[in-house]
Every structure is written in C-alpha cells, then in structure tokens.
C-alpha cells in the first residue's frame, strides 16, 4: 500500500490554496495511503509510524471531526468556549488535574519518537482542516502537538468523571454562598437510585486447549457510549500493524489486535481514586492543612476560562483552584475539605498506550506496561504463541489495608498516604491457566479463570471494589466445562440471551406474593404478572413479552434498593442477593406494573416494540423521535446479566427506549498460524455524516450479532475495491443515505425483528 499509486494526482493538493504550514505536509501525504472497505472503514498505511499516525487521524477527521474536536475541548478544559455556562464545571474539573503549561513542557522533554508521533498527529488534523474548508470547527481551528497529551486520560489513566462530582465541585468553588448548597451525601444518595448502564466491557480469551482449531481466540466487547470510537487499521513499513477501536482523536488502537497479539480492556474495580479528609485553618492570611503534627500550606493556582455567551461573545471567568500533596481539593464534607488522589501522568499514559500496540508477545506487552500508567483497565490478552492472560491495572498504590478507602480517609494521618506502587508480580493476574480461558466483565478477578483464578485472600481488599456481577456469573457458566470453541461458538456465547439477575430474583417474587394476606389488593393485581415471570425462560428476545415486564421490574428494584446498598456500603448485586427482602421485590413489581400501564397502556408488550436503536442525525447528544424509523433490539442492560449490553435513555415525550451505550465496537479474533482472522461490527456505522452510506449500514448486523469479516491480511486489502487515496486528495464519497431494512416507528415489530 505505497504512496506511489497516486503520484500523478498528488500535485492537486497544491491547487487548494493551502497555507505554507499546511503545504509542507503535502509531501507527507504522498507517503500515506488510505483505502476504504465496503463499510467505509479506513485501512491506513504509511512509510513510518509517524506517517501512519498522520493518515490515521486524518481519516478519523474525515469520518467525524466534530467528535474529535469535542473530545479535545473536554480534555483540555475548554468545552465552555463552545457550549457556554453548562460546561464551566466540567472545564474546572479538568483544570484541577491538567496544567496546560506542564503539558507543553512534557512535550518538549518527550523522547524523539513520541514527539514525532505528536507532531504527525497535529499535522494530520491541521492538514484535514486546510483541505476541507467546508469543515467549520467550533473552537479548535489549529491543533498543537502537545495537545495529544491531554487525552490519554480516559484510555488507561485515571477516571476524573468517576472521581469528582460536578455539583459538589461547584458547591465548593462557586463563591461565598457555597455552604447553602446541598451536601455530597444527599447528592450521591439521590443518584444511587437511578439505574445507570455500566460503561464497562466484556473480554474473553480462549486458549489452544479449548479451541477447536488449536488457535487462541479473543472476544473484544467494549460497553461504551455509541459512536465513541472509530474502527480502523493502521500500519507502517516500520512494523506497526494494528486493527480495532480508536477513541476519536487518539492515535493508537485502544482495543484490538495486531498480527501477533490482541488486547481487550475492561473497566476495573481496583481502587484507583482515593479521597482524603483534611482539617484546614487560616493563619496569617494563608490557608493551611494539618498533616501529622505539622501544618502545611494549601497550594493555589488560578486558571482562566473563556465562556461562550448566548450572543456568541466570550466572557472570561477566573477560578482559584486549591490542592495538597494528596491532590486537588474537590469539595467540603462534614466540616472538612476533601482532596482526591489519582494517577496523573499523561506522557507515560500516551507512551504505554501506543507502545503496547506494537508488542508481539506477552513479554513485549508487559514491557510497555512497565510505565505503570494504567490505573483503570483490566486486560484480557491473547497471542499467536497460545498465551492467554488476565492482567490487572499496573498503577496500584500501596496502602495500609486497615483503612477503608471506599470512604474518605483521614488525610491528616500520614499512615493513610500512598506508599509507592505495587510491583507487577504483586498484582492479581492469570497467565496460561489450565482452565483454557480467561474472562472479565468489570467484575472481580477472583473468577477470571474458574478454579485457576487468583485467590482473593492473597491480596489487599483495595485490589477490587466491584465484587461479582451478573454478567460475570453468566460468562463463567458459559465457559466452564469442556465445551470447545471456534469464532462462531464464541460469538454465540457472547450474545447468549440468558438474564441471570432475574433468574435469581424471581423465586423471591413468588414467595412475596404467597406471603401476602388475603384481602391485600396486590394479590389479585400481581398474580398474573408474577405467573408470567415465573413461566418465562429468563431469555431476552424482541418478541418476548416477559422481558419488557422484567426490565421495568428490574429498574424499579434498582431504584428502591440502590440507596440502601449505598448507605450500607455493600455492592448492589451483593445486596440484592443477601439483604433485599421478598416484600421489597414484590413492592418493586407493583411499582413497575403501574409504570408500564401509565407509559405503555399495558404491562404486556413485546420487548422489541419499545427497545430500539435509532440514529437519525450526527449530533453528539441525540434527540430521539418515536415517529422516526428505528430498529428493534433484543438485548438488555448489562446490569441484568446480558453479555450483549444495551443501555437506553427515555425522553419524556417518547414511548420507546433508545440505545445510547453498551455494545459498541464488537470483534472476535482467531490467531491462526497464517495470521489473524477477525470478524467485527460497530454500532450504527463508521461515518458521522447522515448523508453517508456508512452512517447506518451496520445496524442490522449490530442488532442481530451478525459480525462481518475484517479485511486485515495483505491479500484482503489488495482485493478491496473501495476508494484508495492520499490524505488531501479529492475522493467524493457518493452521498446516498440508505434506509435500514426492517426499521419502523416506535411500537411496531417488523418481520426483520
């Protein structure tokens, strides 16, 4: 895939009136070739890794520049420049951890190879903007190389969104009236009652002993927001050759595979964010916090934010941000300030994210991981030499395990401080298990490989705070035993329709009904709904009526029991099994039946009539419409144990539920002796342009689990008949939006469903 194929056309870029800074990138564009397959997915090749990065980010910008810009506005703490006051506190949160001057310094001191990649990344985006004058950025009209360092968080770094509540942050920093604002306990308690789709993932690796072909298999199944990542292949003459999902704006494959290894990341339950309660005083006009017998100064830093106003002008707002050696101060609680500690090492995170995509073995992968910049991701790993593995996040601070870090600890006590990091060999991991499989579903690692899993008692309790979940139990049941797998078998298992949470809870529902006294009106009202659930096979499908009732019931149960579990500091799924009463279960069903009748007109309705996939515009925050075409989806929230997850939103004026997260990019890879074979599907389509034929061309495959073959080998790529071009070349895609077969308005169940 060399640039020589288009040498005769490449001169046309100079006719586009490029600025001198962009025109200098025209020769680089000739060293990059992009070929699009039948689903519009870009396969990029460059002479050097930097050339490949240039083409990779250029192709992403072609597909969805608005998502790239928004990701960087968020990461840089500049979203308010585009979205106004609603984004101010998101920006303040970013700036607590992100110092733009430090990022620029980190760029200047980065190794040459990393600076080359960051330079190519910025050049690729700027070259796209220069050659696409019809693209109008909201804010970022030019990208600087150092900006790439701002967006390694969210891939393997700390999780700012998880660690800092925006309303509590505003209550602390927003002026002298902050004490009148609601406290954090009230905020968290109210939020605990809302069922939120876990943005986690499923990963499964099958070793040679359980593979029908003797070749290892890898299941890649991130549960993220829809359209959050681009599907791409990126390769170079320097040895880069990776395929998978890249978060919009990042220049590495986040979840995917190369010719020798594959990696799937799942959000971890490891303790990666800690809160420290501080005693604070003001002395001599300066703020101090107690640490042992000493009083240390509270550090302060002023940041300025531009905030877009309704008339299009900007207003400058300044904030004085506070921090201690523990980390930034994020709120006040019970008369003490709370500081938060988390990983904040952008350069190491970017290095690790990129280098692991070029590893050829587990040893090479672990060498990249020795930067210890992954605090949030478990990894399910497979390699062509037969190795499979479960790896824990590498950034795990040592702590005194007598303290309960699930709550704020006393930051005045030096014993609560982090005490360095655990070595890699001190972490829970499984390598080449005798069971022949490894799995993670955002659950604990103690069931990662059946009987060959790590022993919980051998590790500090902060190694996991999630516990088990229904998806984990579901996956282990499917993988246990002696069943042999090929790619089709593994795909069928990953779309298995069983819902174990309801299988656990329905017997208690029956007992609760039987315990009602004669004359209780709920007995007559709920007899038929309980009988329906009792006779149900606990499997989702678009035609299943019990599934719809069960989902309403599960959500009501979550809302009622969630605050109780939070108050008891018990994982919710554990609370369901051990402390939820039969009366609680029945009460939740009563609530669910009433809600279904109110919203749907009946508590008997086929699941696919109301559980829908819809994509009608390219907006980042979609506005769903019941009257517009949508497609029925059978799988449910992962909270109920569905391995194929579908998280939904419900707009007040709509009857149907519309998917926004869950299964997004899905792939299965077999590492055969002649090279990897893979099949994949993405939610909706690759393009963010509603006029593109690749905007909605994968919906049917997505909803039915019909993965498509991935062209990865050289022969596959040579056979592609789609556009081949250099960045900057005019290759007009035929704008022909295609109707989705089997789609219909809300409430209809068409034959395709």
């Amino acid at each position: 895939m060399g640039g020589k194929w288009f040498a005769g056309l490449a001169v046309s870029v100079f006719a586009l009136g490029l600025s001198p800074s962009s025109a200098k990138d025209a020769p680089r564009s000739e060293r990059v070739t992009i070929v699009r397959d039948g689903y519009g997915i870009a396969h990029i090749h460059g002479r050097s890794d930097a050339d490949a990065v240039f083409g990779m980010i250029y192709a992403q910008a072609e597909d969805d520049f608005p998502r790239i810009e928004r990701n960087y506005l968020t990461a840089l703490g500049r979203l308010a420049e585009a979205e106004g006051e609603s984004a101010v506190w998101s920006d303040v949160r970013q700036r607590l951890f992100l110092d733009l001057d430090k990022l620029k310094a980190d760029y200047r001191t980065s190794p040459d190879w990393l600076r080359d990649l960051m330079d190519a990344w910025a050049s690729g985006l700027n070259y796209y903007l220069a050659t696409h004058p019809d693209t109008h950025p909201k804010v970022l009209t030019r990208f600087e190389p150092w900006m790439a360092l701002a967006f390694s968080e969210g891939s393997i770094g700390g999780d700012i969104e998880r660690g800092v509540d925006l309303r509590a942050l505003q209550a602390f920093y927003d002026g002298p009236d902050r004490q009148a604002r609601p406290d954090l306990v009230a905020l968290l308690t109210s939020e605990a009652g809302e069922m939120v789709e876990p943005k986690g993932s499923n990963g499964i690796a099958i070793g040679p002993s359980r593979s029908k072909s003797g070749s290892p298999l890898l299941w890649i199944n991130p549960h993220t927001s829809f359209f959050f990542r681009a599907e791409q292949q990126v390769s170079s003459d320097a040895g880069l050759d990776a395929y998978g999902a890249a978060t919009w704006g990042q220049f590495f494959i986040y979840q995917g595979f190369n010719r020798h290894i594959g990696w799937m990341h799942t959000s971890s339950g490891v303790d990666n964010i800690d809160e420290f309660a501080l005693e604070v005083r003001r002395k001599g006009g300066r703020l101090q916090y107690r640490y042992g017998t000493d009083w240390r100064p509270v550090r302060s830093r002023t940041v300025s934010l531009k905030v877009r106003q309704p008339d299009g002008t900007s207003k400058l707002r300044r904030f004085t941000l506070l921090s201690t050696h523990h980390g930034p101060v994020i709120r006040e609680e019970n008369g003490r300030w709370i500081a938060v500690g988390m990983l904040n090492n952008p350069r190491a995170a970017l290095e690790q994210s990129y280098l692991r995509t070029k590893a050829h073995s587990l040893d090479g992968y672990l060498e990249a991981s020795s930067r210890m910049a992954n605090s949030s991701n478990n990894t399910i790993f497979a390699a062509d030499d037969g190795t499979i593995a479960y790896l824990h996040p590498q950034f795990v601070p040592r702590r005194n395990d007598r303290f309960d870090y699930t709550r704020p600890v006393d930051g005045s006590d030096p014993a609560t401080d982090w005490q360095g990091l655990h070595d890699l060999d001190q972490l829970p991991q499984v390598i080449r298990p005798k069971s022949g499989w490894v799995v993670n579903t955002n659950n604990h690692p103690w069931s990662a490989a059946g009987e060959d899993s790590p022993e919980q008692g051998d590790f500090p309790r902060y190694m996991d705070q999630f516990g088990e979940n229904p998806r984990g139990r579901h996956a282990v049941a499917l993988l246990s035993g002696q069943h042999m797998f090929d790619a089709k078998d593994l795909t069928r298992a990953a779309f298995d329709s069983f819902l174990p949470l309801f299988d656990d809870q329905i017997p208690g529902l029956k007992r609760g009904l039987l315990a009602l006294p004669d004359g209780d009106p709920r007995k007559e009202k709920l007899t038929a709904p309980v009988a329906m659930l009792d006779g149900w096979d606990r499997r989702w499908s678009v035609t299943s009526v019990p599934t719809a009732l069960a989902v309403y019931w599960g959500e009501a149960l979550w809302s009622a029991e969630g605050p109780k579990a939070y108050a008891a500091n018990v994982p919710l799924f554990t609370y369901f099994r051990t402390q939820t009463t039969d009366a609680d279960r029945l009460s939740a069903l009563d609530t669910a039946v009433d809600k279904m009748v109110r919203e749907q007109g009946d508590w008997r309705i086929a699941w696919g009539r109301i559980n829908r996939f819809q994509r009608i515009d390219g907006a980042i925050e979609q506005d769903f419409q019941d009257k517009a075409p949508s497609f029925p989806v059978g799988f449910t929230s992962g909270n109920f144990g569905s391995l194929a997850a579908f998280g939904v939103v419900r707009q007040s004026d709509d009857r149907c539920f519309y998917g926004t997260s869950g299964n997004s990019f899905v792939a299965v890879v077999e590492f055969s002796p002649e090279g990897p074979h893979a099949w994949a599907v993405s939610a909706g389509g690759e393009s963010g342009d509603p006029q593109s034929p690749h905007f909605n061309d994968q919906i049917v495959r997505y909803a039915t689990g019909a993965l498509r073959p991935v062209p990865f080998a050289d022969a596959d790529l040579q056979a592609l008949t789609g556009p081949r071009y250099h960045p900057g070349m005019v290759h007009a895609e035929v704008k022909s939006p295609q109707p989705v077969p089997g789609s219909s308005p809300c409430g209809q169940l068409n034959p395709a469903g």
Side-chain angles (χ1 to χ4, degrees), residues 5 190 626:
W5 295 354
S190 65
D626 278 350

Side-chain angles (χ1 to χ4, degrees), residues 396-400 405 417-423 426 462:
V396 183
R398 292 176 178 273
R399 304 164 175 91
N400 188 326
Y405 286 90
D417 274 7
W418 290 352
Q419 300 161 9
L421 300 179
H422 282 275
D423 295 333
Q426 297 173 328
Y462 54 73

Side-chain angles (χ1 to χ4, degrees), residues 69-363:
E69 184 184 24
R70 193 178 196 278
N71 281 346
Y72 276 89
L73 289 176
T74 300
L76 291 165
R78 296 179 59 184
L79 190 60
E81 294 181 40
E83 299 188 1
E85 290 289 341
S86 65
V88 164
W89 292 102
S90 170
D91 286 350
V92 171
R93 178 170 60 187
Q94 286 297 118
R95 297 296 185 91
L96 282 171
F97 299 90
L98 200 70
D99 184 332
L100 302 188
D101 290 334
K102 185 177 185 305
L103 290 187
K104 296 172 186 178
D106 282 350
Y107 164 76
R108 291 191 296 269
T109 59
S110 292
D112 290 345
W113 67 267
L114 185 60
R115 274 204 315 276
D116 287 345
L117 297 181
M118 290 188 279
D119 290 345
W121 170 86
S123 294
L125 287 169
N126 294 329
Y127 194 63
Y128 168 79
L129 290 175
T131 55
H132 291 75
D134 291 339
T135 297
H136 302 290
K138 292 183 176 181
V139 175
L140 297 176
T141 58
R142 181 162 186 81
F143 290 81
E144 300 294 335
W146 60 268
M147 292 178 178
L149 290 165
F151 194 34
S152 58
E153 193 281 326
S155 294
I156 67 171
D159 190 340
I160 291 174
E161 293 182 5
R162 174 183 164 192
V164 183
D165 179 88
L166 289 183
R167 290 176 292 178
L169 185 70
Q170 181 179 5
F172 183 80
Y173 281 105
D174 199 19
D177 64 334
R178 63 182 185 233
Q179 298 301 328
R181 297 178 182 272
D183 64 43
L184 181 77
V185 174
L187 293 174
L188 288 180
T189 301
S190 65
E191 287 185 339
E194 301 172 5
M195 194 181 85
V196 178
E197 183 65 20
K199 292 185 178 178
S201 300
N202 301 331
I204 303 171
I206 303 295
S209 67
R210 298 290 299 278
S211 168
K212 289 180 178 178
S213 67
S215 298
L217 299 161
L218 178 66
W219 180 255
I220 299 172
N221 186 192
H223 294 168
T224 62
S225 302
F226 289 165
F227 328 123
F228 183 64
R229 296 194 174 107
E231 187 175 345
Q232 294 184 301
Q233 181 180 4
V234 55
S235 62
S236 76
D237 293 340
L240 176 66
D241 197 358
Y243 188 103
T247 307
W248 295 107
Q250 293 180 333
F251 62 73
F252 52 87
I253 296 297
Y254 174 58
Q255 292 158 321
F257 62 96
N258 61 32
R259 292 186 182 272
H260 300 284
I261 69 168
W263 56 96
M264 170 60 210
H265 302 306
T266 62
S267 296
S268 178
V270 69
D271 177 7
N272 61 2
I273 299 174
D274 287 333
E275 294 184 339
F276 300 86
L278 305 171
E279 180 183 345
V280 181
R281 74 180 185 185
R282 185 179 294 275
K283 185 176 182 180
R286 300 192 64 183
L287 287 169
Q288 299 175 327
Y289 68 100
R290 188 169 67 82
Y291 182 69
T293 58
D294 297 328
W295 287 88
R296 294 185 173 187
V298 175
R299 298 190 293 268
S300 65
R301 177 168 59 94
T302 300
V303 299
S304 299
L305 302 180
K306 291 181 181 179
V307 183
R308 181 180 175 85
Q309 301 302 297
D311 62 1
T313 61
S314 292
K315 175 183 177 182
L316 197 65
R317 293 189 61 181
R318 290 183 173 86
F319 299 87
T320 300
L321 306 181
L322 307 175
S323 64
T324 71
H325 78 283
H326 296 295
V329 179
I330 60 170
R331 71 175 188 272
E332 185 172 355
E333 182 179 325
N334 298 325
R336 287 196 165 197
W337 288 7
I338 305 298
V340 63
M342 59 179 280
L343 169 66
N344 189 9
N345 193 347
R347 195 182 93 185
L350 188 58
E351 289 182 2
Q352 182 169 333
S353 295
Y354 184 80
L355 289 174
R356 65 191 181 191
T357 71
K358 295 193 71 174
H360 288 177
S361 65
L362 179 60
D363 287 344

